[in-house]
Amino acid sequence: MSGYGERRRSQAERDAITVEIGYALFSAAFAAAVLFGAAAGPALLFELPSTVEKVSLRAGLTLAPLVFVVRVVSVLVRFRNGAQPSQPGRTSPDS
């Protein structure tokens, strides 16, 4: 079943992928919730004109899932491209 160029991942690599997926989902859910609260919160808390309330709720319901997907994809693509420090907490000598 293994194709050309494929190799088995070590346990550490599988753990890193699992942690990164969890981070992507958690941070995306948090960002979407904050954006929804900012966009739709005033409509839910205050009595606003009907059109403003509808637009605010629709904006929150439209933007929150979009932000969620964009955040998950951006975190996972960055991880896939190897934008991880080689030694966490350390910088290169010429920085």
Side-chain angles (χ1 to χ4, degrees), residues 3-77:
Y4 177 76
E6 290 184 27
R7 64 177 179 85
R8 296 190 72 128
R9 291 189 172 110
S10 69
Q11 184 63 41
E13 289 172 322
R14 290 193 308 264
D15 289 345
I17 291 168
T18 302
V19 167
E20 200 66 23
I21 290 170
Y23 168 73
L25 292 173
F26 181 79
S27 67
F30 182 76
V34 168
L35 184 110
F36 178 78
L44 297 172
L45 293 175
F46 305 114
E47 194 170 323
L48 299 174
S50 173
T51 43
V52 174
E53 193 171 308
K54 286 180 184 177
V55 168
S56 178
L57 286 171
R58 286 186 182 153
L61 290 172
T62 302
L63 292 175
L66 182 65
V67 166
F68 181 86
V69 170
V70 168
R71 177 68 181 162
V72 168
V73 169
S74 68
V75 168
L76 295 179
V77 166

